[in-house]
Amino acid sequence: MDSDVAVRFVQSIVDHDRAGMLALLGPDVDFRGMTPGRTWEAGSPEEVVGVFLDHWFEDSDHVDAVTRLERGDDVVDLRHLSYRCEVTNSRGPHTVEQQAYYRTSDGRLSYLRVMCSGFRPRTAGAAG
């Protein structure tokens, strides 16, 4: 099922699993992403992995938990997955949420659009 590919993709982010992530991306993947201060584009699996694991979730970012993983309604031919992670790094604890819209081909992600909340600092008493 298509949503299984997206869920495995999220797990590869959590695990910082480059090989696993590469295996889930089609050879001509069409990727666009948006973070609070920048837009991103990639057209190969290696470039997509670079965006996620060299910029968005670096080795120093430890994903403590995935606190939400929800499959949303399809938007015609696009699938939707929302996920929220609790992350700790040298700047402290953060919450990160991403909304992904995607299509698959031959069991791999071929089209991927992701909007990221950015790393939102968690403070004592703040809702996550």
Side-chain angles (χ1 to χ4, degrees):
M1 175 175 236
D2 287 348
S3 64
D4 291 341
V5 173
V7 168
R8 289 193 323 255
F9 189 79
V10 172
Q11 189 60 53
S12 69
I13 295 168
V14 169
D15 296 339
H16 292 270
D17 178 4
R18 289 176 185 274
M21 188 179 283
L22 282 169
L24 296 170
L25 295 164
D28 297 320
V29 62
D30 179 358
F31 170 79
R32 304 285 182 273
M34 187 181 343
T35 56
R38 182 172 170 189
T39 59
W40 305 77
E41 295 184 20
S44 74
E46 294 79 11
E47 291 173 336
V48 174
V49 171
V51 169
F52 276 89
L53 298 183
D54 295 333
H55 297 284
W56 290 5
F57 293 93
E58 300 173 12
D59 287 340
S60 60
D61 298 320
H62 180 264
V63 180
D64 303 310
V66 177
T67 58
R68 187 172 73 179
L69 184 64
E70 294 179 356
R71 169 111 161 70
D73 293 333
D74 291 349
V75 181
V76 185
D77 64 333
L78 294 177
R79 301 279 177 135
H80 174 240
L81 188 71
S82 174
Y83 47 99
R84 182 178 292 176
C85 301
E86 303 303 325
V87 178
T88 303
N89 60 28
S90 62
R91 296 178 311 276
H94 296 81
T95 298
V96 179
E97 182 171 298
Q98 295 185 336
Q99 302 292 320
Y101 295 90
Y102 63 94
R103 282 192 302 258
T104 62
S105 177
D106 298 323
R108 299 195 297 180
L109 295 164
S110 58
Y111 176 96
L112 182 61
R113 299 295 186 264
V114 178
M115 180 176 278
C116 181
S117 67
F119 280 54
R120 311 307 310 154
R122 287 189 319 245
T123 58

